[in-house]
Amino acid sequence: MKAVLKIVGESFRDLWADLWTMLASNLFWLIANVLIIPGPPATLAIVHYGNRLAHGEQADLTDLWQAFRSYWGPAWRWGAINIVVVAFLVANIALTGKMQLGAWEPVIQGLYVALLVLWLALQLFALPFLFEQEKMSVRQALRNSVVLIGKNMGFSLFLWVLLALILTAGTIAFLLSAMLGTVFLASAGNRAVLNRLELIRQAGELNG
């Protein structure tokens, strides 16, 4: 789809336009997640940074740091929900592999794996929605993301697959995905939401 290719192309241009800031931002995110506690705020700060770029605004490391300091509340509301959901799904994947379910075992385990992948893919849209809503509600952002995906299934699938291929190639090519993958996803997610948001709002199908 042309829209997806345009989004990916613009995201690459975001990286190239300020490569050193992108590298520093991604390194900041990696360190924060190793430390665990600042991980969710750092993630939301990266998405905020990508949101400003997607809106055509200027942004730098100062903006990233200010966002990191400002969004601990909503970031950890999002983080807590993710910990619960991911832990539940991972635990069920592990437990299913140890249970004697016969022919049903790969089916049930595959279902949990699919749900985990879908949940993680949902976050590509959910976090940018936090900055497009009147209120920074994680629940509303998740709901709006589900609506977006439901109304743009082909668009969403193509974008997810293309991003997965790019990140896989980037990992093989000198671990580029580790150095730039998060900021690239933040840019792509924000641009995808903005690309679709106007159409959905015109249909009156989103809250906030």
Side-chain angles (χ1 to χ4, degrees):
M1 296 174 66
K2 291 183 178 180
V4 171
L5 295 176
K6 179 181 178 182
I7 288 165
V8 171
E10 289 173 342
S11 299
F12 275 118
R13 282 195 292 273
D14 285 340
L15 294 182
W16 187 251
D18 197 353
L19 186 58
W20 293 112
T21 299
M22 292 293 186
L23 285 167
S25 300
N26 210 86
L27 178 60
F28 170 74
W29 179 85
L30 287 172
I31 294 172
N33 277 270
V34 168
L35 298 174
I36 300 175
I37 298 299
T43 301
L44 203 55
I46 290 287
V47 175
H48 175 263
Y49 179 78
N51 184 263
R52 292 198 60 180
L53 294 179
H55 279 283
E57 301 173 2
Q58 295 294 321
D60 54 26
L61 292 176
T62 300
D63 299 295
L64 182 74
W65 178 247
Q66 290 176 347
F68 173 72
R69 296 176 59 188
S70 300
Y71 295 127
W72 278 69
W76 262 106
R77 287 195 294 273
W78 168 79
I81 292 172
N82 268 272
I83 289 172
V84 171
V85 173
V86 172
F88 171 78
L89 293 173
V90 170
N92 276 278
I93 292 169
L95 288 172
T96 303
K98 296 179 180 179
M99 297 172 66
Q100 301 297 323
L101 299 174
W104 285 101
E105 180 179 326
V107 175
I108 297 175
Q109 195 170 39
L111 175 61
Y112 282 121
V113 170
L115 288 173
L116 177 61
V117 172
L118 181 60
W119 174 260
L120 295 176
L122 181 68
Q123 308 313 310
L124 181 71
F125 303 132
L127 288 176
F129 262 120
L130 289 173
F131 299 102
E132 299 300 329
Q133 302 169 165
E134 292 180 0
K135 296 180 180 179
M136 192 168 278
S137 166
V138 176
R139 182 181 299 179
Q140 183 173 315
L142 291 169
R143 183 167 56 247
N144 285 339
S145 300
V146 171
V147 173
L148 185 150
I149 294 168
K151 298 298 181 180
N152 299 272
M153 187 63 70
F155 170 89
S156 302
L157 287 173
F158 186 32
L159 179 62
W160 287 334
V161 170
L162 184 56
L163 290 177
L165 291 174
I166 291 170
L167 291 179
T168 300
T171 301
I172 296 172
F174 308 107
L175 297 178
L176 289 176
S177 293
M179 294 186 288
L180 293 166
T182 302
V183 289
F184 175 69
L185 288 177
S187 177
N190 275 288
R191 290 187 177 280
V193 168
L194 291 180
N195 182 273
R196 301 285 101 176
L197 191 55
E198 185 176 356
L199 295 176
I200 298 175
R201 278 179 173 165
Q202 287 176 353
E205 293 168 347
L206 279 182
N207 298 311

